Amino acid sequence: MEIREFVETLDREGRSLATAAEKAGVDAEVPTCAGWQVRDLVRHTGMVHRWATAFVAEGHTSYHPDGGLPELDHDALLTWFRDGHRRLVDTLTDASPDVRCWTFLPAPSPLAFWARRQAHETTVHRVDAESALGGEPTAVQPDFAVDGIDELLRGFHGRDRSKVRTEEPRVLRVRATDRADAVWTVRLSSEAPFAERGGHPRPDTDQNVDVDCELAGPVAGLYLALWNRAPFPTVTGDASLATLWRERSAISWS
């Protein structure tokens, strides 16, 4: 996906998040984020938006701490969120393509990283806000869902910080049933997971990799499931690996 597409998605998803939060009310529980009310969700996402904006707008080339959570509530909180979201969208839109700043996952450029990361951050939390309303969330677009799964498996869980590990080598496959190009092979071990896009043969044979567990379903459903916002559509093989993902894959703010 192009930077422009990520920024357009960020713009749309942030506005939808604010709308859902306003409809639900800041006191509403967020079923997809245990222990959170809508106010917690809005404070967190708004803080992340301002944190991301600072890297691009101010050119920080090393880690820079966030500004903390606001004391604001109710209408004032939603206004604060909308203002910060608008500034992030405008900053990414107006930034030079060769802007240099800190990032934490591989990307073609810092601008591409922040546009992509904030688009997915905001989409997942938009789903959280809509969960406070009940019913099914607005569907995630398939191309965007494919990209988000790739970022999660090959980006976040390619880092040493990933806790998705097994004592003995195991292989997990993630397969979209509605996209032939959306298959990932994830090798689990005592080290950080190693994920590859596509069904890859073993180096010493012409046979496909032996898979211990497969998570399959429509790509939009897999996106939400892998971010622990929905059940896995289909699990075949050793279901303990699906449980391991549920218990160990959460990406926490630190």
Side-chain angles (χ1 to χ4, degrees):
M1 293 179 63
E2 300 293 329
I3 291 173
R4 172 187 56 79
E5 295 175 285
F6 285 123
V7 176
E8 288 172 354
T9 300
L10 166 63
D11 187 7
R12 180 180 65 252
E13 295 286 350
R15 287 185 284 108
S16 295
L17 190 161
T19 297
E22 188 171 34
K23 288 180 179 178
V26 297
D27 295 323
E29 299 294 326
V30 181
T32 52
C33 296
W36 271 19
Q37 294 177 309
V38 167
R39 63 169 52 85
D40 302 304
L41 175 67
V42 174
R43 286 170 179 166
H44 167 79
T45 312
M47 174 271 291
V48 173
H49 284 173
R50 284 167 166 75
W51 178 73
T53 298
F55 285 105
V56 179
E58 300 170 19
H60 298 292
T61 56
S62 59
Y63 176 81
H64 187 74
D66 64 78
L69 301 176
E71 297 286 336
L72 301 170
D73 209 349
H74 299 286
D75 289 348
L77 176 60
L78 290 170
T79 297
W80 173 85
F81 173 85
R82 288 184 168 110
D83 289 346
H85 169 250
R86 185 74 259 151
R87 183 168 180 236
L88 174 60
V89 170
D90 290 345
T91 296
L92 294 172
T93 299
D94 297 339
S96 170
D98 60 359
V99 65
R100 293 288 174 261
C101 60
W102 180 82
T103 63
F104 60 88
L105 295 177
S109 70
L111 184 59
F113 165 80
W114 284 110
R116 179 196 205 192
R117 177 81 291 278
Q118 290 310 298
H120 288 295
E121 175 84 11
T122 306
T123 298
V124 171
H125 288 318
R126 182 271 295 166
V127 171
D128 293 331
E130 290 183 349
S131 78
L133 293 170
E136 292 295 317
T138 304
V140 177
Q141 293 299 309
D143 285 349
F144 185 70
V146 170
D147 181 82
I149 293 172
D150 203 66
E151 183 202 42
L152 183 61
L153 296 181
R154 299 206 296 163
F156 278 104
H157 287 288
R159 302 185 299 171
D160 287 339
R161 294 177 61 175
S162 177
K163 296 179 181 179
V164 183
R165 305 186 182 220
T166 54
E167 292 184 6
E168 300 295 331
R170 310 296 299 280
V171 178
L172 175 68
R173 176 170 292 155
V174 176
R175 181 176 61 86
T177 54
D178 54 349
R179 289 286 297 257
D181 62 336
V183 181
W184 292 263
T185 301
V186 186
R187 291 170 174 82
L188 304 175
S189 69
S190 59
E191 304 296 325
F194 178 75
E196 297 173 286
R197 180 86 173 266
H200 293 269
R202 294 185 307 201
D204 57 338
T205 74
D206 292 329
Q207 302 298 314
N208 287 335
V209 174
D210 294 329
V211 174
D212 297 295
C213 177
E214 181 179 85
L215 310 176
V219 69
L222 285 175
Y223 176 87
L224 296 182
L226 289 164
W227 276 105
N228 295 316
R229 264 56 183 192
F232 289 114
T234 303
V235 178
T236 56
D238 185 354
S240 71
L241 294 184
T243 301
L244 174 71
W245 184 270
R246 276 277 179 258
E247 294 176 347
R248 306 297 298 278
S249 69
I251 306 298
S252 59
W253 180 260
S254 60

